[in-house]
Amino acid sequence: MEEENSPATAIAPREPPKIQRLEESVVNRIAAGEVIQRPVSAVKELVENSLDADSSSISVVVKDGGLKLIQVSDDGHGIRREDLPILCERHTTSKLTKYEDLFSLSSMGFRGEALASMTYVAHVTVTTITKGQIHGYRVSYRDGVMEHEPKACAAVKGTQIMVENLFYNMTARRKTLQNSADDYGKIVDLLSRMAIHHNNVSFSCRKHGAVKADVHSVMSPSRLDSIRSVYGVSVAKNLMKVEVSSCDPSGCTFDMEGFISNSNYVSKKTILVLFINDRLVECSALKRAIEIVYAATLPKASKPFVYMSINLPREHVDINIHPTKKEVSLLNQEIIIEMIQSEVEVKLRNANDTRTFQEQKVEYIQSTLTSPRSDSTVSPKPSGQKAQKVPVNKMVRTDSSDPAGRLHAFLQPKPHNLPDKVSSLSVVRSSVRQRRNPKETADLSSVQELIAGVDSCCHPGLLETVRNCTYVGMADDVFALVQYNTHLYLANVVNLSKELMYQQTLRRFAHFNAIQLSDPAPLSELILLALKEEDLDPETDKNDDLKERIAEMNTELLKEKAEMLEEYFSVYIDSDGNLSRLPVILDQYTPDMDRVPEFLLCLGNDVEWEDEKSCFQGVSAAIGNFYAMYPPLLPNPSGDGIQFYTKRGESSQEKSDLDGNVEMEDNLDKDLLSDAENAWAQREWSIQHVLFPSMRLFLKPPASMASNGTFVKVASLEKLYKIFERC
């Protein structure tokens, strides 16, 4: 027994394990997990690709924190049809051809790994169109290769990439990322940082199905304006500009400009937005150096907000040191950080001699928002007497999440110096209107008469309602809920948008910006299409010759009027009878292009071309009808409309599970359903963020809207309280 238990009889050592080459799929999946660490990594790679494509607008839609869906759309130059087969293969890129190119790169991406990595851990679909193409292409990828040949499809300018079911084949990774709110917050933070640096690009980010965007920035020439729009006024008003530059011939050459917070800014965590050569990166050493300065300078060691953009010679930056490119290596990094730290310290010491504390006197609002009667006078209250509270049945309540409904809406402005405030506000509004609607647009007497007719027919009560209403939401496909004082109304958005577009066409007469169509559209084919859509019995072809003659006559008529249409309305028709340009009636709004045939037919048939005033009125009415915010042609997928998107040819009998729940998901046409959801969400976004703000500024509602059902009062707070008091 002793001999058996002795060390000499211990287990013999194992043979060395055999080294073997891993399969390509295993290698790629391991690499993918390193490049795409979480949903925000995928969003960062896709947004950087969009920036490399010279995009001016980037939109991000996220579902379940990015695990179920990440959709990034841009208006860049697109991807060529012949490049699609190798688009998602590893190490395929248009950014470089040899290793030395790394030291002169100006693009965000360069390895050609991001898209390939996504296809190994998710389902990727790419829709793209390049300039000059009649249609776009859509293709799906899996494990780096195409699942099918690219399919022709309708597409808008640029590229849309959908990443679905991220980490579906990495169970452990997916379980650690179940907190969707945390991941969505990281995506919002990423796009907020991108938006303030790339202020020549508009960004938006929202949850799938949501109407309101959590990040919404527009192109701005000022960096401070971008910070204000993304991080808020409270941050922007407490920032100081800081600049550092060095041209040391020994090698320390760089330029830095940015903004740092002053002593009035209070926050619990440090926000450092750092871009090096336009690349969003992290630098713990620089962050630590800045925090040391603030801790030593400010009394309570408040955490700062810092935005910095550092530009160095490209050969002084090594961008290839991190899998997700969030860190870079700098030549003379210690010297650069020391110079920046010294400048921040000097700026803080010179600017923080005083600190501002704001105070506000709170008073209650008047009982009504109507103008006071002429016999009522404003007299100062005796000292010590409190202002009367507003009765609960007359208190105006709005949503606290809406800027119009924040606390200051419930506070009464001081009566002193009120005329000065009102007059200054009127000056601001007047300047906005003059900028958006220049006076010289009405230089023809006929147009002046039409605008005067709009002004004379304006209903003063409806004008007050439109100017001061609060958008609540869509009640159905046509009516929106709006609140004015203590009343709730249903407003017909089709009628309102049609009238607004008509009035804006008159006010912007001969001074339009233009929407350039990607490919000219032949008038004759579009008008013929409109005639066929109007036909009650489209299967009969006995009237085809008549329709073709009508289409030819209308085409020739519009070609004759092309010069006038281009000069006054920015509707450009070339000598071959092709439509290639349309006017911009409202900024950030593009009409439904499916209604172009109806618009052209209306121009040909309904306009009185011989009389100048009637002609301008007819063309403006046709444009107003075309640009009106009608419901999309695809049925609303919410509610019963979902039945439209079931695949044809399959059994109509729905399968039920053991609990009796109906399972229709497998029978749905997901591509068509996705297009419909996007169309309806985009319409509701346009109604809230484009139509209603423009109505408050420009619309003069005619008296007819008071009786034709455009506005319907559905509830009144005073009457509701009377009903409740009886209970």
Side-chain angles (χ1 to χ4, degrees):
M1 293 295 292
E2 292 179 1
E3 194 173 13
E4 289 180 0
N5 293 332
S6 64
T9 60
I11 299 174
R14 291 189 310 163
E15 293 185 1
K18 183 180 179 182
I19 297 176
Q20 55 186 354
R21 181 177 286 105
L22 293 176
E23 294 183 3
E24 189 71 18
S25 60
V26 177
V27 174
N28 290 329
R29 189 173 297 179
I30 293 173
E34 187 178 24
V35 175
I36 309 299
Q37 297 177 354
R38 55 191 316 131
V40 69
S41 306
V43 174
K44 180 176 182 289
E45 297 288 352
L46 295 176
V47 170
E48 288 180 346
N49 284 346
S50 296
L51 292 171
D52 288 339
D54 300 326
S55 303
S56 61
S57 176
I58 300 174
S59 173
V60 179
V61 178
V62 177
K63 186 175 182 180
D64 285 356
L67 291 180
K68 283 195 175 180
L69 172 69
I70 297 172
Q71 177 179 294
V72 178
S73 308
D74 64 57
D75 61 351
H77 52 57
I79 303 169
R80 294 183 298 180
R81 163 68 175 81
E82 54 268 27
D83 291 337
L84 290 175
I86 64 170
L87 174 66
C88 292
E89 292 183 6
R90 292 193 68 196
H91 307 306
T92 56
T93 179
S94 61
K95 315 298 171 53
L96 54 83
T97 57
K98 56 184 184 296
Y99 178 76
E100 288 72 21
D101 294 341
L102 278 175
F103 305 105
S104 59
L105 273 180
S106 60
S107 61
M108 302 291 140
F110 54 89
R111 294 196 190 109
E113 284 186 320
L115 278 176
S117 297
M118 292 176 205
T119 64
Y120 284 98
V121 294
H123 303 128
V124 177
T125 303
V126 178
T127 304
T128 186
I129 185 172
T130 56
K131 185 178 180 181
Q133 284 186 329
I134 300 176
H135 55 74
Y137 292 95
R138 179 176 295 158
V139 61
S140 299
Y141 294 88
R142 186 186 182 95
D143 294 340
V145 297
M146 296 192 302
E147 291 188 305
H148 54 77
E149 286 297 314
K151 297 178 181 178
C153 66
V156 296
K157 178 188 176 185
T159 302
Q160 180 189 87
I161 298 181
M162 288 200 312
V163 181
E164 299 174 286
N165 299 320
L166 187 62
F167 303 128
Y168 73 96
N169 53 0
M170 301 176 71
T171 307
R173 178 77 61 88
R174 194 175 179 89
K175 285 182 178 179
T176 61
L177 298 174
Q178 289 303 314
N179 188 356
S180 60
D182 181 50
D183 284 289
Y184 183 69
K186 293 180 183 294
I187 294 172
V188 168
D189 179 63
L190 168 73
L191 290 176
S192 299
R193 293 166 182 261
M194 290 282 194
I196 67 174
H197 181 76
H198 299 281
N199 55 332
N200 60 336
V201 180
S202 62
F203 289 84
S204 71
C205 176
R206 61 181 174 87
K207 291 183 179 179
H208 183 264
V211 177
K212 185 178 180 180
D214 295 292
V215 176
H216 178 67
S217 70
V218 296
M219 290 184 285
S220 171
S222 169
R223 189 88 63 196
L224 194 59
D225 288 343
S226 298
I227 296 175
R228 183 181 294 109
S229 66
V230 174
Y231 285 94
V233 178
S234 60
V235 175
K237 70 180 182 181
N238 291 317
L239 296 182
M240 306 178 295
K241 190 168 185 179
V242 60
E243 294 179 328
V244 183
S245 62
S246 173
C247 298
D248 187 354
S250 62
C252 185
T253 302
F254 76 99
D255 291 304
M256 186 279 287
E257 61 177 13
F259 293 91
I260 60 173
S261 57
N262 57 26
S263 60
N264 296 318
Y265 176 81
V266 178
S267 178
K268 294 182 179 179
K269 69 174 183 177
T270 300
I271 299 179
L272 172 61
V273 182
L274 176 62
F275 283 82
I276 296 180
N277 288 0
D278 294 327
R279 187 183 301 277
L280 178 62
V281 295
E282 297 176 1
C283 182
S284 57
L286 178 60
K287 183 178 180 180
R288 198 160 48 247
I290 294 175
E291 286 179 334
I292 290 173
V293 172
Y294 273 83
T297 307
L298 298 188
K300 290 187 178 181
S302 176
K303 301 299 183 181
F305 176 95
V306 179
Y307 161 77
M308 287 185 179
S309 175
I310 303 176
N311 289 306
L312 303 93
R314 294 192 180 99
E315 60 271 16
H316 291 184
V317 184
D318 187 355
I319 59 179
N320 192 29
I321 67 169
H322 195 276
T324 61
K325 296 170 289 187
K326 72 175 184 178
E327 294 180 3
V328 296
S329 177
L330 308 181
L331 187 65
N332 300 315
Q333 177 171 302
E334 294 80 5
I335 300 176
I336 293 174
I337 292 177
E338 184 179 352
M339 293 179 67
I340 293 175
Q341 184 184 34
S342 300
E343 181 64 25
V344 170
E345 183 176 6
V346 171
K347 198 77 174 178
L348 279 177
R349 292 189 182 280
N350 293 338
N352 289 332
D353 296 335
T354 61
R355 185 169 183 179
T356 303
F357 296 91
Q358 297 181 351
E359 61 178 2
Q360 183 178 17
K361 183 179 179 181
V362 178
E363 298 177 356
Y364 292 101
I365 61 172
Q366 297 176 353
S367 60
T368 62
L369 293 182
T370 57
S371 58
R373 294 177 297 178
S374 58
D375 58 345
S376 63
T377 57
V378 179
S379 59
K381 294 185 178 292
S383 60
Q385 182 177 350
K386 294 183 179 179
Q388 281 190 333
K389 289 187 177 181
V390 180
V392 291
N393 64 329
K394 293 184 178 181
M395 183 178 293
V396 180
R397 297 169 171 86
T398 52
D399 185 1
S400 62
S401 65
D402 192 306
R406 296 201 181 279
L407 190 59
H408 65 263
F410 294 89
L411 305 179
Q412 178 183 4
K414 294 182 180 180
H416 309 291
N417 302 326
L418 185 59
D420 293 337
K421 293 183 179 180
V422 173
S423 62
S424 63
L425 182 60
S426 301
V427 170
V428 173
R429 288 179 174 173
S430 175
S431 65
V432 170
R433 289 191 180 93
Q434 289 176 3
R435 185 173 69 251
R436 301 289 293 273
N437 298 296
K439 293 290 184 183
E440 60 269 18
T441 56
D443 51 1
L444 296 179
S445 59
S446 56
V447 180
Q448 292 176 352
E449 291 174 6
L450 290 172
I451 295 177
V454 170
D455 295 339
S456 63
C457 293
C458 179
H459 190 287
L462 288 182
L463 180 63
E464 176 68 16
T465 302
V466 169
R467 289 286 190 269
N468 299 288
C469 69
T470 300
Y471 175 83
V472 178
M474 294 299 296
D476 60 13
D477 297 348
V478 175
F479 285 93
L481 278 172
V482 296
Q483 178 185 345
Y484 171 66
N485 286 353
T486 57
H487 307 297
L488 194 63
Y489 293 89
L490 284 174
N492 188 316
V493 296
V494 176
N495 291 351
L496 287 170
S497 59
K498 186 185 300 184
E499 181 64 27
L500 175 64
M501 302 300 180
Y502 168 73
Q503 295 181 14
Q504 283 296 91
T505 303
L506 294 178
R507 295 190 185 102
R508 289 191 168 191
F509 184 83
H511 289 79
F512 293 96
N513 293 326
I515 301 172
Q516 184 71 39
L517 303 185
S518 57
D519 292 294
L523 295 183
S524 57
E525 295 181 13
L526 293 175
I527 296 175
L528 186 61
L529 180 61
L531 290 169
K532 290 182 178 180
E533 288 178 351
E534 288 186 349
D535 198 339
L536 296 178
D537 189 7
E539 294 185 358
T540 60
D541 55 357
K542 59 182 180 181
N543 293 327
D544 284 354
D545 293 339
L546 177 60
K547 294 173 187 174
E548 291 178 359
R549 286 199 297 272
I550 294 174
E552 291 175 2
M553 292 172 57
N554 284 336
T555 300
E556 292 301 320
L557 174 63
L558 295 179
K559 286 169 64 176
E560 292 176 6
K561 308 299 181 182
E563 185 176 355
M564 183 272 289
L565 289 172
E566 180 186 7
E567 181 179 358
Y568 293 149
F569 299 99
S570 193
V571 177
Y572 180 69
I573 300 171
D574 61 25
S575 57
D576 296 327
N578 296 319
L579 176 69
S580 60
R581 195 181 304 146
L582 291 168
V584 174
I585 307 300
L586 290 181
D587 295 337
Q588 296 186 343
Y589 174 68
T590 303
D592 186 353
M593 292 302 174
D594 289 335
R595 300 186 183 274
V596 171
E598 178 186 351
F599 166 60
L600 296 174
L601 182 61
C602 184
L603 282 182
N605 286 350
D606 300 342
V607 176
E608 178 58 51
W609 297 98
E610 302 304 322
D611 179 70
E612 180 180 293
K613 181 178 177 181
S614 300
C615 173
F616 292 157
Q617 185 178 28
V619 175
S620 299
I623 292 176
N625 185 65
F626 170 40
Y627 280 72
M629 295 185 180
Y630 290 96
L633 297 180
L634 289 172
N636 194 334
S638 61
D640 295 336
I642 194 69
Q643 297 177 0
F644 176 81
Y645 302 97
T646 55
K647 294 180 180 179
R648 298 179 180 178
E650 296 187 5
S651 173
S652 60
Q653 183 178 4
E654 297 171 340
K655 300 178 182 179
S656 300
D657 57 11
L658 296 176
D659 298 328
N661 297 323
V662 179
E663 296 180 349
M664 297 181 60
E665 185 176 355
D666 294 337
N667 292 333
L668 296 177
D669 188 336
K670 294 184 179 179
D671 291 340
L672 188 62
L673 179 61
S674 176
D675 292 342
E677 289 175 342
N678 290 337
W680 281 90
Q682 178 62 38
R683 175 179 181 254
E684 187 165 354
W685 186 92
S686 298
I687 290 172
Q688 179 180 359
H689 298 285
V690 179
L691 176 62
F692 274 87
S694 300
M695 280 170 44
R696 296 186 189 104
L697 282 175
F698 307 126
L699 179 64
K700 294 189 175 180
S704 59
M705 284 188 173
S707 58
N708 66 359
T710 299
F711 283 94
V712 180
K713 184 159 71 171
V714 294
S716 172
L717 188 62
E718 293 91 339
K719 292 182 179 180
L720 289 175
Y721 265 91
K722 289 181 181 179
I723 296 173
F724 293 147
E725 286 170 358
R726 298 187 192 131
C727 300

